[in-house]
Amino acid sequence: MGQAMTQPSTDWHVKENGREHHTSKFSSKELIVRRGQAFVITFNGTEQPEQTLTFIVETGPKPSKQAKTQATFGISSTASKEGWSAVLQSTSSHSVSISISSPANAVIGRYKLSVQSTSTGSSSAVVLGTFVLLFNPWSSGDNVFMPNKAECEEYVLEEFGIIFAGNNNHINSFGWNFGQFQADILNICLSMLDRSLNYRQDPATDVSHRHDPKYLGRVLSAMVNANDDQGVVLGNWSGNYDGGKSPSSWTGSGEILQNWKKSGFKPVRYGQCWVFAAVLTTVLRCLGIPTRTITNFSSAHDADGNLRVDEFYDASGNHLNEGADSVWNFHVWNESWFSRSDLGPSYSGWQILDATPQEESGGIYQCGPASRNAIKEGDVDLDYDCPFVFAEVNADCMYWSYDPATRKKTLLFNKSTVIGQLISTKAVGRNDRIDITSDYKYEEGSKKERDIFKKARKKLGLEDKFDPTAPTPKEIEQKPDISGKFKLAGPSEVGKDLNLILVLANLQSEVKSVQVNMTAWSTVYTRRPVREIWKDSLSVSLSPEEEKHFPIKISYAEYQQQLTTDNAIEVTALCHVEGGIQVLVQRHIALDNPAIDIQVLGEAKVNKEVEVEVVFTNPIDIEVKDCVLQVEGSDLLRGILMIDVPPLKAKEISSTKFKLTPFETGSKHLLVNFSCDKFADIKAFKTVKVID
């Protein structure tokens, strides 16, 4: 018998391999590489001839060749295109350098690498150590291959993002620190996979599917929400966030993922759609799947799958919580880039994933991947969850007046052009908004768009089915005698009175008497009414074809206590027209927070302290207290800085200074969030150029 191999020491060339594999941003001592691409390691302690060496890679709890979670390979003269392979680079008297290549469709995750020598007659393998294998959007053989390098930089390597919110009349935005390369985030992402329902049911089979981005995207869309599987974030849309952090107070995913792990994997409280989407972006970018966040304005939540959302109002104009359907001011989901071998090449490219728990799919709260091309073409019969996503951007909207006592409902009006507007995402390499609505649907109101809608209805079996809840043709054809709209007369800012004008116009050639019942409610961004702010009524007489303007003022004192952290107000006027059908006038108002200013005082250099000043002016006539400033930024500071700020008298200016020491060069982003008893979560970000 020959001698067994001694325990070798291994040099993983983490720096050089990291550069080649676009993984040098990971702050890890462990080797992290991408599939379908060679990496080099050097090890010593092998006294055997190199040609006798055999390598073993294995991943998961039950590695097997059949499941492609284990491979054994010797040294060959060239890298294999099909499986794992090793090519000799160089040898010296004590060490050997080997280039190891993985297949472009290898299972991703943490691998153990071992070596054994056949010449010794001893077959016991010696473990060289572990490495992590990720998806490779830079490699043309990978399902996630993205030919445009600038897009790879943005959608895989960029840690900063901008999320769009507000409503379709008024878009606002805020920065987010995805932080996918922060310490321990990769390990947390891998633990998410090992905590999924699929893994718990059948670990070996789950791991064998981890070569497939559509499988992982779907599993992770379920794991990011806490429903079903004790996932990462617990959703809360009540407007009351006691017992946790308000969804609008987060500024990045790192803190959420770290909290999840620290608590022993208990769901983090609380999230709403952009939090789920931002965390999913972090996890997928971390694993190497190109991903971005998408905001859809006037987004439909069609709970019963009839491509229609119904909204109900009582006689006073109050928006009722009747029925399961809803229209959200905005909704944020994800798009990830990969090919769809299951559907065919025309459905490859951007795929929609949605981690917000809205409706069950396959018995659990997960959504996608739905091919964006399938949504645009109305191919709602394709996997996964296309009908739900199609409805989010295309559903028809019906507004009803409803009497809870008699349960009688009357159609006020229906619209096919209000849902799915201004679909937005951050531009590549710039902090601008780009509009991608035309990638989701043909032009609103065009014949092509209506044909696609009919095609989708037909595929869902809705064309031939009698729907007792649908309005009758007679109801749909009714024409109102008057028209109305709310116009903003002045700024919509928290801390200022809200001035509106109700414009009513008589469309007929005879006098019309109108009784107008008006209400204003604070809402969550899903338009769920939370607290009544104001109500009033008017009796109006309109001469033939006359237009009248009625000024409305809702004072800051009236709405201040009632506002949710979403700063959203819904104003409605239900007009009862004598002898005609009722007319609903509504407007969703997004109030802006006051501004906050960030200045970097001096040059930002690596490993040199630099001072930052944050300035906030209290815009209102009362003192604000309980002021807290929260600061974070990848490569600028580790973790989150929390600073208590003293109370501010009316109109007083506060300046808060702190120091930070950047630890990487390049364009970095500092994010701040300022909160006090009168203003929730005032956000700002500053681009910081860090030099050597």
Side-chain angles (χ1 to χ4, degrees), residues 363-376:
I364 63 172
Y365 284 96
Q366 57 188 352
C367 180
S371 159
R372 195 178 71 183
N373 291 351
I375 300 302
K376 183 165 181 177

Side-chain angles (χ1 to χ4, degrees), residues 92-159:
S92 70
S93 55
H94 296 300
S95 68
V96 54
S97 284
I98 305 279
S99 167
I100 294 179
S101 298
S102 60
N105 63 348
V107 164
I108 62 109
R110 181 168 278 114
Y111 279 81
K112 183 170 80 174
L113 174 64
S114 313
V115 63
Q116 64 188 49
S117 169
T118 48
S119 73
T120 60
S122 151
S123 60
S124 65
V126 176
V127 177
L128 293 175
T130 64
F131 65 94
V132 177
L133 192 68
L134 303 176
F135 290 98
N136 194 348
W138 287 269
S139 160
S140 59
D142 200 303
N143 279 339
V144 302
F145 173 58
M146 194 164 223
N148 181 325
K149 298 293 166 278
E151 291 184 352
C152 283
E153 290 279 329
E154 179 77 38
Y155 299 134
V156 180
L157 301 182
E158 181 54 69
E159 291 191 81

Side-chain angles (χ1 to χ4, degrees), residues 482-493:
I482 68 163
S483 71
K485 63 179 174 203
F486 281 113
K487 280 164 68 168
L488 276 178
S492 52
E493 289 170 26

Side-chain angles (χ1 to χ4, degrees), residues 12-14 17-18 28-33 39 41 130-132:
W12 296 93
H13 299 291
V14 169
N17 286 322
S28 160
K29 303 264 186 295
E30 187 176 22
L31 177 66
I32 299 166
V33 286
F39 61 92
I41 63 163
T130 64
F131 65 94
V132 177

Side-chain angles (χ1 to χ4, degrees), residues 19 64 90 133 193 202 279 390 436 626 630 644 679 686:
R19 251 201 320 273
S64 87
S90 64
L133 192 68
L193 295 175
D202 184 347
V279 171
F390 184 86
I436 55 167
D626 309 328
Q630 174 181 317
D644 287 326
F679 300 103
K686 178 88 176 169

Side-chain angles (χ1 to χ4, degrees), residues 43-73:
F43 57 94
N44 59 17
T46 63
E47 307 303 323
Q48 281 71 29
E50 289 75 38
Q51 298 312 325
T52 67
L53 296 178
T54 301
F55 296 92
I56 303 130
V57 289
E58 42 198 358
T59 186
K62 283 189 186 158
S64 87
K65 286 185 176 149
Q66 194 187 350
K68 297 208 160 90
T69 51
Q70 183 189 55
T72 308
F73 49 98

Side-chain angles (χ1 to χ4, degrees), residues 467-532:
D467 179 358
T469 65
T472 62
K474 190 178 166 209
E475 280 184 300
I476 287 175
E477 278 152 25
Q478 295 177 115
K479 292 278 181 286
D481 293 328
I482 68 163
S483 71
K485 63 179 174 203
F486 281 113
K487 280 164 68 168
L488 276 178
S492 52
E493 289 170 26
V494 180
K496 297 204 165 114
D497 296 345
L498 184 59
N499 287 294
L500 299 161
I501 295 166
L502 173 63
V503 181
L504 296 178
N506 185 354
L507 305 174
Q508 303 300 336
S509 47
E510 62 265 12
V511 176
K512 289 288 166 192
S513 302
V514 187
Q515 172 65 28
V516 185
N517 294 339
M518 297 179 289
T519 65
W521 284 72
S522 68
T523 70
V524 188
Y525 76 98
T526 60
R527 298 191 184 169
R528 181 178 170 277
V530 178
R531 288 182 282 272
E532 187 178 73

